[in-house]
Each structure stands twice: as structure tokens, then as C-alpha cells.
Amino acid sequence: MSDQREVNFGTLSVWGGEEDAQAHGATQVPVVHSVSFGYEDLDEWLQVALNQKTGHIYGRNTNPTVQAFENKVRALEGAEAATSAATGMGIISSALFALLSPGNRVVSLKDTYGGTSVIFLEFLPRFQVDAVLCDTTDHEAIEAEVAKGCDVLYLESPTNPTVKVVDLERLARAGHAAGATVIVDNTFATPINQSPLELGADLVLHSATKFLGGHADALGGVICGDKELVEKIFHFREINGATLHPMAAYLLLRGMKTLHLRIRQQNESALEIARFLDAHDAIERVFYPGLESHHGHEIAQRQMRGFGGVLSFMLRENTLDAVREFLPRLRFAHAAANLGAVETIAGPPATTSHVECTAEERAAMGIPESLIRYSVGIEDTEDLIADLDQALV
Ligand SMILES: *Cc1c(COP(=O)(O)O)cnc(C)c1O
């Protein structure tokens, strides 16, 4: 399949990226566990080593199963190139350390994934890279910071855990006017719901651990976009060694075959559940971009094809004790630090997205103590609603 999307997302989820990976007539991508790849012809080996011919040499650099996974995501994102890493954080840190140099400036959001914020606030400053984190929904403030000088504009939408939405097209335009490389973490939306490259981003990345894999059984990260940028990131990743394992790549590939079906179900369920909770007496507030009351509803409607499978809600009794009592009452939700799986998963930011922060820091970020992140699985919607209803006594 070529660089651009010629067919629809469902067909791409099933067939995308697999054309060069099958062997011996197998209809499924094999898990190639070999660390190295042998050559009888030294000249051919040399050509592959010099990148003049496609092929594989050593498993830390490339692997056929891993490449099939990268190609499937590349096809879904409509990108020129893709590269992967062992985890989402592996690809995020590889991208930032590959693209930034001392003296550079990053502009990003206060609501980026917790681990990403740690890179911005703890690690980049050690290399004389300044990172300015803006209020996620204040587009004017973000544009003003970008205009002061920006080498990388790093965005995420929707965000964790209050599901905030930023206008990707508007901010990508501002980033490019300042000469920045624009990166978008598309983990919450998935390529089914949102195409950041079409909205102007240079690079789009995923924690494949979440919706792409969808079964909470494999870690992975992937980044797609402009070939030259992706090659720079690949070069750093092959040296730092945060390589995606072929077995994990296989599990992610297999999970992605049903991506479009899962996301369709999760979009529908999440919207219905958000509306149910919004009308419930025991709920103070629901955060979901599909609700008309959500601050970013209009932007989400414009830039997303579906509002995604994650919502969060605040119990009327705003204490961690209320959460402590509520969570065990749910029959059909793992209380766990993950999202995007076929099973519903629920947890408070204190033990999930913002485990790195103190209670004071969470309060300063507008994250209430009784907030619960609820990642909707593919169970029947009516069963999930009944489960929430009986738990909200
Ligand atoms: C989980 C997550 C990450 C980090 O991914 P890992 O695979 O856990 O390293 C990054 N961004 C978002 C939005 C995430 O949810």
C-alpha cells in the first residue's frame, strides 16, 4: 500500500503494512526472533549496510515483524515513514533527544502525559533545553510562547485525564510560523479518530501499548511523519537501544487488525456513558469532548471523526475516600493504570496518569481528588451503564 490512504481505515487496519512481511506463503506476519540476518554475498550485505538496498542486519536496528507493525501504523496515519520503540516513552524520549540541541526551546502543554512532563521539567533542562508548559486550553498563550522562539512544539489532544482538546491545525500553523517541528501525541484519539498530519503536524506518535494494541498485553511506541525527521529519530533509537521486541510487535499487529471495530464501539459507548453520568445525581462533573458542555466540543467536532474511548468524571463527594469506596463496586472494570484495552479500566489520577505528582500539584493542575479516569472497553454499553449505576449508590 502506498504512502497515502487509498482505502478506508478498516481495510488498512487489516491489510496495511503486511505486504512485504509474509514468508513461505504464510497468510500471517511471522514473528522473526532472529537477532541477526546472514548474507552469502558480501556485496549485498554491504549494500544493505549502506542503506542502498532494503534488508535487515541486526535486530537492535531493524526486524521484519517490527517493520510490518511500523508500516501498518504508517499506512493508517497517511505518513511517509515510521519508526518504533519498546514503549511510548521510548519513542517520545528518542524523538525529543534526537531533534533537540542545547539552547533549543520547547513549547508544550501542562496536561501532557505525566512521563512526558518529566522529560520536559527534569531531563531536558540538564541539556540546556528550556521547556515552557502552557495552559492547555489557552491557545493565545501558547501562540505567544511559540512566537518568542520555538524549536519543537509538542502537543497532545485529547489529554490525560481531563480529556482536554487543543486546536491542532491552528497551533501547527503557529509552530511552523516560528520554524518549529510540530509533534502530536495521538494516543487517546488513535488514527481512526484523528489525523494530526492532515491537520499540519510534522510528526504523530502513539503509545501503542494503549488503543493500537488494544489488549493490554504488549508495550510499544511508534512515530510517523516526514522521512527525514523519522530517520533522525530512528538513528538515535538504534543507538540508545530502546528497540521494540518482535513478539510485542506481533501482538500489536494482531491487535490492530480490529482497531477500527474497537474504536467504533468505544466511541459509541463512551458518548452514551458520558451522557448517562452527566445526568446522574452522584456525579459532580463529566469530562468528555463529545458532550456539548465540554470546553473543546466545537474543536473536537471539527478535528476528530469520533470523540474516543476515554472519559473522566468527578464524584459529588470530592474525596479520595469516595473513590476508594466506589472503585471496588465496579464489576466490569479493572482498577489499573492503563487505558485503551478491550476491558474497561478505571482509576484515579493519583495512581495512574499523575502518579508522579503530589496532591498539591494535582490540585494546581485542576485535577479534583474524586476524579476517575474511565477507559471504556468493548463490553455491551448497557452492561457498563448498569454497572456504573449500581456502583454509584
Ligand atoms: C501511556 C501513554 C504514554 C506512554 O506510553 P508507554 O507505552 O507507557 O511508555 C504516552 N502518552 C500517552 C498519552 C499515554 O497515555
Side-chain angles (χ1 to χ4, degrees):
M1 245 153 266
S2 78
D3 287 344
Q4 294 306 311
R5 288 187 300 259
E6 290 170 358
V7 293
N8 297 298
F9 288 108
T11 309
L12 281 176
S13 299
V14 175
W15 290 96
E18 302 200 2
E19 45 285 300
D20 300 329
Q22 283 125 348
H24 312 293
T27 59
Q28 301 306 312
V29 175
V31 188
V32 179
H33 279 291
S34 188
V35 164
S36 58
F37 299 83
Y39 291 89
E40 280 170 23
D41 179 351
L42 183 65
D43 291 322
E44 191 192 353
W45 187 0
L46 206 55
Q47 281 178 323
V48 174
L50 296 173
N51 236 342
Q52 291 160 356
K53 190 170 190 281
T54 57
H56 306 280
I57 289 184
Y58 185 62
R60 173 158 46 74
N61 308 341
T62 66
N63 167 284
T65 315
V66 170
Q67 205 163 57
F69 161 72
E70 293 167 347
N71 277 331
K72 195 184 281 291
V73 185
R74 183 187 63 73
L76 284 162
E77 288 289 7
E80 203 181 359
T83 193
S84 61
T87 63
M89 286 315 303
I91 207 66
I92 292 168
S93 54
S94 293
L96 292 170
F97 283 98
L99 299 177
L100 291 162
S101 306
N104 280 177
R105 188 166 190 266
V106 177
V107 176
S108 189
L109 315 170
K110 283 190 177 150
D111 288 272
T112 55
Y113 179 72
T116 310
S117 300
V118 173
I119 299 189
F120 291 145
L121 299 175
E122 186 179 337
F123 292 104
L124 289 182
R126 286 203 211 156
F127 298 91
Q128 283 76 52
V129 174
D130 265 344
V132 187
L133 307 187
C134 305
D135 275 338
T136 301
T137 54
D138 189 344
H139 288 74
E140 283 76 21
I142 300 166
E143 285 167 334
E145 281 301 337
V146 167
K148 286 185 203 162
C150 178
D151 299 285
V152 165
L153 174 61
Y154 187 100
L155 304 171
E156 194 175 312
S157 184
T159 63
N160 210 345
T162 48
V163 211
K164 290 181 182 142
V165 167
V166 299
D167 187 330
L168 296 176
E169 195 166 22
R170 172 175 169 181
L171 294 178
R173 213 178 306 125
H176 288 151
T181 300
V182 179
I183 306 178
V184 175
D185 183 334
N186 204 27
T187 301
F188 268 46
T190 81
I192 306 297
N193 284 334
Q194 180 169 272
S195 302
L197 298 178
E198 282 172 16
L199 297 167
D202 301 298
L203 292 164
V204 54
L205 67 86
H206 292 271
S207 166
T209 314
K210 315 291 170 55
F211 288 100
L212 294 188
H215 292 70
D217 57 2
L219 293 156
V222 59
I223 195 163
C224 314
D226 173 75
K227 188 159 184 274
E228 217 171 293
L229 290 171
V230 168
E231 274 174 3
K232 262 194 198 177
I233 297 163
F234 165 73
H235 180 55
F236 186 72
R237 202 278 295 144
E238 69 175 333
I239 299 306
N240 76 24
T243 308
L244 180 63
H245 192 278
M247 191 63 214
Y250 173 77
L251 291 169
L252 297 171
L253 260 174
R254 183 155 109 149
M256 282 176 68
K257 297 222 179 198
T258 55
L259 181 66
H260 59 302
L261 298 178
R262 288 186 280 112
I263 298 305
R264 198 186 296 162
Q265 172 70 17
Q266 286 165 318
N267 284 341
E268 278 177 22
S269 244
L271 185 56
E272 233 179 282
I273 291 167
R275 288 193 176 132
F276 163 79
L277 291 171
D278 206 29
H280 202 289
D281 282 346
I283 299 295
E284 179 68 30
R285 201 172 155 194
V286 180
F287 301 83
Y288 187 64
L291 294 178
E292 288 75 13
S293 57
H294 185 275
H295 76 89
H297 179 64
E298 190 259 332
I299 297 170
Q301 248 182 336
R302 221 179 326 118
Q303 75 185 12
M304 299 179 81
R305 290 176 286 267
F307 301 111
V310 183
L311 55 99
S312 60
F313 53 91
M314 186 184 168
L315 302 175
R316 180 137 285 168
E317 189 195 327
N318 188 23
T319 64
L320 203 55
D321 278 340
V323 177
R324 199 172 277 123
E325 282 175 32
F326 168 75
L327 278 182
R329 285 194 215 118
L330 289 174
R331 280 177 71 201
F332 301 120
H334 286 302
N338 192 19
L339 59 95
V342 291
E343 300 95 3
T344 294
I345 305 168
T351 53
T352 58
S353 60
H354 288 70
V355 66
E356 290 95 350
C357 304
T358 63
E360 292 72 36
E361 282 168 338
R362 281 192 294 276
M365 294 170 87
I367 298 172
E369 277 306 279
S370 72
L371 193 74
I372 291 160
R373 187 180 69 195
Y374 191 81
S375 170
V376 180
I378 61 167
E379 303 91 342
D380 293 292
T381 313
E382 62 194 272
D383 293 334
L384 294 178
I385 288 180
D387 191 31
L388 284 161
D389 199 29
Q390 63 79 28
L392 289 167
V393 285

